[in-house]
Amino acid sequence: MSNTNNAYLKYTRFVLFFVFVVIAAGGIVRMTQSGMGCPDWPRCFGSWIPPTNASQLPADYEKYLRQQDIDHEFNAVHTWTEYINRLLGAILGFLFIIHTIWSARKFFSTRPSIFWMSFLMLVATGVQAWLGKRIVDANLAVVKVTTHMLVALVIAIIPVVILRRLQNIHPVENKGTKWLAILTLLLLLVQIVIGTEVREQIDEVSRALHYEQRELWINRLDFFFTLHKTCAWIATACCVGLFWRSLPYKVLSAIGGWIFVVVLTTLVLGLSMLYLNVPAIAQPLHLICSSLLFVLVYALILRLK
């Protein structure tokens, strides 16, 4: 493989890594209840650089604060947490622009599918930015938050497809394992969708309790949480099965090992939220691990036929 190909692959891996940085940032925004820290979009309190204290607020600042259901007064931590999240999203957009231009120059005439996948990442990032505006406009409406998460997963799997197509790896023919992997991927997708609903309920419960009395949060959740717990055990069993079935194959065993580690980590984080009164740090970590697990299972599917 040429040096330019190696550089392109390394950059694609870096882009994939940065996608998870942005997902982590979104999780921290939710963890800190900073989603409306900037109650307008794309600006923040009417400015491109948000204020650091109340004295820097615009004259009409009250119309922005009325959009918030958390602070009702200026909170610099919430504002800058959300603003940094937006900056990271913008940086990711620039990384995708570079990736698309590089893909066009390198593959447009020889392997156009690589270029179009790169271009799709760029378009999906634009859609994600638009959804971000819609979420702010709708004050964190759960349906839009769920769609935001699903688009993030689409963005995350595209670099995996590009890497798979450029790597000289012969797929393993194992129909049973492939069908198990597809079933697992669907279960994980359902889990992520249900998880966003559970997360929205936690937001509502915590808001009603003024973000205190964490020991009461779980008990106030409805059947979606029970469904989430049940599906979690089924998905975990499927992931362990994938790990076991991947062991005889060198091409699959590394990804299978990561699936095993990440699914156990995700399970432990979920149990910590259940039995340790929803520790704040567990929330973004659970989100990251769930997203990573989805991408890993998808990567495994790409190595099967």
Side-chain angles (χ1 to χ4, degrees):
M1 184 177 292
S2 68
N3 290 334
T4 56
N5 280 345
N6 278 329
Y8 181 86
L9 289 174
K10 287 179 181 178
Y11 184 75
T12 302
R13 292 189 186 99
F14 173 72
V15 166
L16 177 60
F17 166 77
F18 206 86
V19 169
F20 281 96
V21 171
V22 173
I23 291 174
I28 292 171
V29 166
R30 300 287 283 176
M31 175 189 77
T32 58
Q33 291 86 42
S34 300
M36 293 299 291
C38 287
D40 51 324
W41 193 100
R43 299 190 181 191
C44 187
F45 287 101
S47 302
W48 291 111
I49 304 297
T52 56
N53 58 69
S55 66
Q56 297 172 343
L57 289 170
D60 59 348
Y61 72 94
E62 290 185 355
K63 75 177 183 181
Y64 297 109
L65 293 177
R66 281 196 297 268
Q67 300 296 318
Q68 298 182 346
D69 56 6
I70 296 173
D71 297 318
H72 299 296
E73 60 184 19
F74 179 68
N75 185 315
V77 173
H78 286 174
T79 293
W80 277 87
T81 299
E82 168 59 12
Y83 184 68
I84 290 171
N85 176 50
R86 294 185 186 183
L87 282 180
L88 290 172
I91 292 170
L92 182 62
F94 283 114
L95 292 176
F96 282 149
I97 290 172
I98 294 170
H99 194 278
T100 302
I101 294 172
W102 196 347
S103 299
R105 297 184 63 180
K106 188 173 180 61
F107 297 111
F108 189 76
S109 60
T110 57
R111 304 187 68 175
S113 63
I114 301 296
F115 161 75
W116 287 114
M117 283 187 289
S118 180
F119 181 71
L120 179 60
M121 283 196 300
L122 183 60
V123 172
T125 304
V127 171
Q128 193 75 322
W130 175 77
L131 283 171
K133 171 177 169 52
R134 297 291 295 167
I135 288 170
V136 171
D137 291 344
N139 205 346
L140 308 181
V142 63
V143 173
K144 293 181 176 63
V145 171
T146 301
T147 306
H148 198 59
M149 185 66 224
L150 294 177
V151 174
L153 291 177
V154 171
I155 293 172
I157 65 176
I158 293 174
V160 175
V161 177
I162 292 174
L163 290 168
R164 174 66 185 89
R165 292 196 176 187
L166 293 177
Q167 291 171 328
N168 187 24
I169 299 174
H170 296 291
V172 172
E173 186 169 358
N174 189 315
K175 296 293 185 182
T177 303
K178 185 165 185 176
W179 279 111
L180 177 59
I182 292 172
L183 174 63
T184 304
L185 190 74
L186 292 175
L187 278 171
L188 292 175
L189 184 61
V190 170
Q191 271 293 80
I192 289 170
V193 172
I194 297 173
T196 58
E197 174 63 34
V198 172
R199 179 59 220 235
E200 176 65 15
Q201 289 184 17
I202 288 178
D203 285 350
E204 292 174 358
V205 170
S206 61
R207 189 181 302 122
L209 295 172
H210 307 289
Y211 305 102
E212 298 175 350
Q213 297 178 281
R214 285 179 174 266
E215 69 278 5
L216 301 179
W217 292 8
I218 294 294
N219 292 333
R220 298 196 179 189
L221 301 178
D222 64 15
F223 74 97
F224 275 105
F225 181 63
T226 302
L227 182 61
H228 191 58
K229 287 191 296 181
T230 302
C231 289
W233 287 110
I234 298 172
T236 299
C238 288
C239 287
V240 173
L242 285 177
F243 163 68
W244 184 259
R245 293 177 72 100
S246 71
L247 290 178
Y249 306 98
K250 185 177 181 180
V251 172
L252 305 179
S253 58
I255 296 178
W258 278 110
I259 288 173
F260 182 76
V261 170
V262 175
V263 74
L264 290 186
T265 304
T266 306
L267 183 64
V268 168
L269 289 168
L271 292 173
S272 73
M273 287 191 282
L274 177 61
Y275 294 109
L276 299 178
N277 302 327
V278 197
I281 190 60
Q283 295 171 319
L285 292 177
H286 190 68
L287 172 66
I288 295 167
C289 287
S290 300
S291 304
L292 180 57
L293 187 60
F294 182 88
V295 172
L296 284 169
V297 173
Y298 187 80
L300 187 71
I301 291 173
L302 293 178
R303 296 194 178 194
L304 289 162
K305 67 176 182 178

